[in-house]
């Protein structure tokens, strides 16, 4: 079955589907279509471990089992029952109807939808395996149900925990940015390891760590497990091969990414998270207010997730912070800066209109990604790139002290 083509779905936060699409293409798979929150693609059996290990911005990887129109629960039952669930689910497999979404559909009852799909799969497998009862004791095969305008898509989740759970963030601050969103921001920024990188409001370090993983070409899923690792149809050999390839892909490039914040507790968390992620050699965190950031370096990149002012009494404080950020960033010659915030009047207080403004969803929070593109640096011989990366941390600290 390794060579057999499989139809897969990478789910994603609204607003970053195009980034996930590009990731899938870079893995060498064919993108079939893109919808809100979903990228459909085709691959072989090895695409399951590879996509789970490598996709930085997707939420999950699903196997598409079938797509059909259904306006009644009878239609849902019969068309679900007609699908080849036995291709994936063994006789002792556990197959809950784990999640359902129903939007603008006649099948609006989610609990009934889950019950009907579960019953249909049971009836299908009873006939195939010749049994009347399933103990569901070996391996998990979570079934996902999407119904939109009476069009049903059924799939099996291969990921388990969401892909944003890399395995390194054991600690988080009060307003964490999902790792998948942080990685998407880095993708959209045009940052490369030869450029100075700074998050001056780094909190627990998610943006800095995601950029470090990208700079080192470390697969984000290397330090975690996935539900499909126990599936007989995929096999441990394919997973082992995918992990070995990911380990071998890590580069030895030298560079330095910087994070600063005024909260010592958050900085401590950032350092622990960086250690768990395995990127301590290429990141540095220091206590520094954003108002004190300065650098003589050119063509740097700032990516940051400042407070949004959601709590009562914080709005004035946040507005002052945005004004200060605008004044500080303006002095960084030729730098590019990228700010994600849920505050709708950010540009007014920052004092400058963004080159681009992209609406993104961090979990259920609507945010805006303000992109200020500076010029790209002139091309340098490769020998200078590693040397420049080593000097970044000292340069920021020295410049901020003057």
């Amino acid at each position: 079955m390794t060579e057999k083509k499989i139809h897969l779905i990478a789910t994603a936060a609204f607003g970053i589907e195009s980034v996930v699409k590009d990731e899938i293409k870079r893995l060498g798979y064919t993108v079939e279509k893109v919808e809100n929150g979903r990228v459909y693609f085709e691959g072989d059996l090895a695409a399951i471990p590879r996509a789970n290990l490598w996709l930085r911005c997707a939420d999950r990887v699903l196997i598409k089992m079938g797509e059909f129109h259904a306006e009644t629960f009878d239609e849902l039952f019969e068309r679900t029952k007609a699908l080849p669930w036995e291709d994936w689910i063994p006789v002792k497999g556990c197959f809950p109807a784990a999640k359902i979404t129903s939007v603008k559909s006649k099948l609006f009852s989610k609990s009934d939808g889950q019950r009907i799909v579960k019953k249909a799969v049971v009836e299908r497998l009873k006939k195939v395996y010749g049994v009347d009862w399933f103990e569901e004791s070996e391996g998990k095969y979570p079934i996902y149900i999407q119904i939109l305008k009476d069009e049903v898509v059924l799939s099996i989740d291969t990921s388990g925990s969401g892909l944003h759970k890399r395995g390194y963030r054991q600690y988080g601050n009060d307003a964490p940015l999902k790792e998948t969103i942080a990685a998407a921001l880095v993708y959209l920024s045009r940052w490369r390891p030869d450029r100075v990188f700074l998050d001056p409001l780094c909190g627990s370090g998610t943006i800095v760590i995601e950029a470090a993983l990208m700079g080192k070409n470390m697969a984000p899923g290397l330090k975690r497990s996935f539900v499909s690792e126990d599936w007989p149809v995929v096999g441990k050999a394919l997973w082992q091969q995918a992990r070995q390839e990911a380990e071998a892909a890590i580069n030895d490039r030298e560079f330095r990414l910087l994070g600063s914040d005024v909260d010592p507790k958050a900085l401590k968390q950032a350092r622990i998270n960086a250690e768990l992620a395995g990127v301590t050699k290429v990141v540095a965190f220091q206590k520094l207010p954003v108002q004190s950031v300065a650098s003589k370096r050119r063509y740097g990149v700032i990516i940051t997730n400042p407070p949004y002012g959601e709590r009562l009494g914080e709005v004035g404080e946040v507005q002052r912070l945005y004004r200060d950020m605008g004044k500080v960033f303006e002095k960084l010659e030729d730098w590019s800066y990228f700010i994600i915030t849920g505050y709708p009047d950010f540009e007014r207080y920052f004092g400058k209109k963004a080159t681009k403004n992209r609406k993104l969803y961090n979990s259920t929070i609507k945010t805006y990604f303000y992109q200020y593109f500076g010029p790209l640096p002139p091309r340098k011989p490769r020998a200078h790139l590693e040397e420049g990366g080593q000097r970044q941390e000292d340069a920021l600290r020295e410049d901020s002290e003057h």
Side-chain angles (χ1 to χ4, degrees), residues 9 16 19 25 54 83 88 107 118 138 140 150 152 186 189 262 305 345 351 356 362 381:
I9 306 168
I16 64 170
V19 179
K25 286 184 174 180
W54 281 104
L83 298 175
W88 298 96
L107 305 177
K118 173 73 175 186
E138 296 180 5
K140 292 184 178 180
D150 301 322
V152 181
V186 179
S189 74
V262 294
N305 175 38
D345 290 330
K356 289 184 179 181
N362 179 34

Side-chain angles (χ1 to χ4, degrees), residues 56-311:
R56 300 182 189 277
C57 305
D59 290 333
R60 294 180 181 277
V61 178
L62 311 175
I63 298 166
K64 179 184 170 185
M65 291 300 298
E67 184 173 5
F68 52 82
H69 185 86
E71 296 185 19
T72 68
F73 285 117
D74 284 342
E75 290 176 319
L76 178 65
F77 178 86
E78 292 298 335
R79 288 170 187 173
T80 299
K81 184 181 174 183
L83 298 175
W85 297 98
E86 66 277 5
D87 286 354
W88 298 96
I89 304 173
V91 67
K92 293 185 179 181
C94 177
F95 49 100
K99 184 175 181 181
I100 182 171
T101 59
S102 182
V103 180
K104 299 179 181 178
S105 170
K106 295 180 179 66
L107 305 177
F108 57 85
S109 172
K110 294 182 180 181
S111 58
D112 286 341
Q114 288 175 294
R115 180 177 56 81
I116 293 296
V117 167
K118 173 73 175 186
K119 182 179 178 182
V121 178
V122 166
E123 291 303 313
R124 169 80 184 200
L125 296 182
K126 281 170 66 174
K127 183 176 181 181
V128 171
Y129 292 127
V131 298
D132 292 324
W133 178 78
F134 295 94
E135 59 183 78
E136 299 195 42
S137 59
E138 296 180 5
K140 292 184 178 180
Y141 302 80
I143 297 171
Y144 275 53
I145 308 158
Q146 182 195 41
I147 310 175
L148 176 61
K149 297 179 180 178
D150 301 322
E151 297 298 322
V152 181
V153 178
L154 298 179
S155 55
I156 300 176
D157 176 32
T158 72
S159 301
S161 298
L163 295 182
H164 70 282
K165 294 185 177 180
R166 316 291 207 208
Y168 69 75
R169 192 160 78 179
Q170 303 299 313
Y171 306 88
N173 58 5
D174 292 335
L177 185 71
K178 286 180 74 171
E179 293 87 336
T180 46
I181 300 296
L185 305 186
V186 179
Y187 270 126
L188 293 168
S189 74
R190 302 192 304 192
W191 173 77
R192 296 292 181 271
D194 59 308
R195 299 178 71 178
V196 178
F197 181 101
L198 170 66
D199 180 355
L201 297 151
C202 69
S204 58
T206 304
I207 294 175
V208 176
I209 292 169
E210 287 299 316
L213 292 173
M214 292 169 65
K216 296 295 292 182
N217 199 36
M218 296 173 70
L222 261 179
K223 294 183 178 292
R224 56 159 287 175
S225 60
F226 302 88
V227 70
S228 52
E229 289 186 72
D230 295 326
W231 293 4
V233 69
V234 179
K236 294 188 181 297
L238 277 184
W239 274 99
Q240 184 178 8
Q241 179 182 348
R243 287 187 179 277
Q244 289 174 346
E245 289 174 353
E247 291 280 2
I250 300 171
N251 64 50
D252 58 358
R253 179 179 289 166
E254 295 184 14
F255 56 91
R256 188 57 63 99
L257 298 155
L258 311 173
S260 59
D261 206 287
V262 294
D263 183 354
K265 182 179 178 182
L267 291 170
K268 180 180 179 181
Q269 293 171 353
R271 295 184 184 103
I272 293 172
N273 292 345
E275 184 176 359
L276 291 170
V279 296
T280 52
K281 292 184 178 179
V282 295
V283 302
F285 297 100
Q286 64 175 318
K287 185 177 179 182
L288 186 74
V290 68
Q291 293 85 353
S292 299
V293 168
S295 179
K296 295 177 183 177
R297 298 284 173 188
R298 298 180 65 184
Y299 307 109
V301 173
I302 287 175
I303 307 176
T304 194
N305 175 38
Y308 303 168
E310 293 176 306
R311 295 191 182 97

Side-chain angles (χ1 to χ4, degrees), residues 339-355:
I339 301 101
I340 182 171
T341 175
Y343 190 71
D345 290 330
F346 168 79
E347 289 171 309
R348 173 185 171 189
Y349 294 96
F350 187 70
K352 186 177 181 180
K353 189 171 180 60
T355 311

Side-chain angles (χ1 to χ4, degrees), residues 315-334:
V315 174
E317 184 179 339
V318 164
Q319 291 171 351
R320 286 190 293 273
L321 172 64
Y322 293 164
R323 285 195 184 99
D324 290 343
M325 288 168 59
K327 294 173 183 176
V328 169
F329 294 0
E330 188 178 25
K331 295 176 183 177
L332 297 170
E333 186 178 3
D334 296 327

